[in-house]
Amino acid sequence: MRVAVLGLGEAGSIYAADLAGRGVGVTAADPVAPAVPAGVTFAGDVGEAVAGADVVLSLVGGRAAGAALEEALPAMTPAGIFADMNTADPAEKRRLANRAEQRGIAFVDVAILAPVPRARIGTPLVLSGAAAVGLLAVFTGWGIPAACVGNEAGVAAGLKLLRSVFMKGLAATIIESATAARAVGAENWIIDQIASELGPSGHALVARILEGTPVHAARREAEMCDARTFLETLGAPHPMTDGTIEWLHSLSRAEPG
């Protein structure tokens, strides 16, 4: 089994490193990668990385996903599977799936359901698309928890965005509450109150939200804009999502420090 990982950002580096650590042959491509994980072969470009690969894992980010697919398709083996693990709205996933189908390449929409650094390769995934069942068998063999949720690309992406409506909305509420509490010297008290409602892991979750949301605000803002677009296609109201986008936008524009 040969695997190509496109994108060596936070998630891509973890998948590349952990798969290599489990004995999988991994080749990676990323023009701006600061480092290459141990055991991973670095390719000069996407075409070189995917040539002969059985599975391609695209972790380049939603904005670069289309370009990565277009560069990969001509170099892929007909038996290969292209797994798009980037966050995007369902319509975009279907568009990419159609492009792959035109070139005779199997495409699977893969949604990552939690921050990858927390559980690394053990992070739960959901898959959809015509080749989802085949990719599920591969992931299961690697010890990756995954489930098929449909045979059409975009289904997994939609479920991810629905989850994001809640998770990013929760983060915005926590930040708003903690920020206001800080003004009256009650930040620790309100954090304890929130954590107690979130169960045994409440304090750890609140800490991750308070620390991670400002750092990743721009990426999460884009994700929530995709979520709003999806809700609009469903005819669902989205005032909470609008507020979350506003909060993330303000955080992404905040001056460092």
Side-chain angles (χ1 to χ4, degrees):
M1 177 67 66
R2 289 193 55 212
V3 177
V5 175
L6 307 183
L8 288 174
E10 183 177 68
S13 293
I14 289 172
Y15 274 95
D18 286 7
L19 287 174
R22 295 186 184 188
V24 179
V26 179
T27 301
D30 187 329
V32 295
V36 181
V40 175
T41 300
F42 189 69
D45 56 36
V46 169
E48 181 183 341
V50 306
D54 301 289
V55 176
V56 177
L57 306 180
S58 176
L59 291 143
V60 297
R63 292 178 180 176
L69 176 66
E70 293 293 345
E71 194 172 348
L73 289 175
M76 286 185 65
T77 175
I81 296 175
F82 189 96
D84 189 301
M85 303 176 72
N86 306 292
T87 299
D89 70 80
E92 175 64 6
K93 291 278 187 164
R94 289 191 292 270
R95 186 188 74 80
L96 296 181
N98 288 336
R99 286 291 298 134
E101 183 180 350
Q102 291 169 6
R103 299 298 295 260
I105 299 296
F107 179 98
V108 180
D109 169 17
V110 180
I112 303 173
L113 297 185
V116 175
R118 193 187 316 168
R120 298 186 66 85
I121 203 172
T123 304
L125 309 174
V126 289
L127 323 176
S128 68
V133 173
L135 185 59
L136 175 64
V138 174
F139 281 169
T140 300
W142 290 340
I144 297 176
C148 290
V149 293
N151 59 10
E152 180 182 0
V155 175
L159 293 178
K160 166 70 179 285
L161 292 177
L162 292 176
R163 182 180 185 276
S164 295
V165 169
F166 168 71
M167 290 303 299
K168 273 59 176 186
L170 175 65
T173 302
I174 289 174
I175 292 171
E176 183 170 319
S177 182
T179 300
R182 189 179 307 131
V184 294
E187 183 177 12
N188 290 337
W189 182 86
I190 200 66
I191 286 173
D192 286 342
Q193 291 293 307
I194 294 168
S196 69
E197 296 293 335
L198 297 176
S201 301
H203 275 95
L205 175 58
V206 172
R208 284 197 301 271
I209 285 172
L210 293 176
E211 294 168 8
T213 300
V215 175
H216 301 291
R219 175 170 58 81
R220 292 175 182 176
E221 179 189 352
E223 179 178 329
M224 290 307 293
C225 287
D226 284 338
R228 179 167 59 189
T229 298
F230 182 47
L231 293 179
E232 288 172 347
T233 67
L234 300 177
H238 47 78
M240 295 301 295
T241 296
D242 292 339
T244 301
I245 292 171
E246 183 178 341
W247 250 111
L248 291 168
H249 183 76
S250 67
L251 290 173
S252 69
R253 299 299 187 271
E255 291 292 331

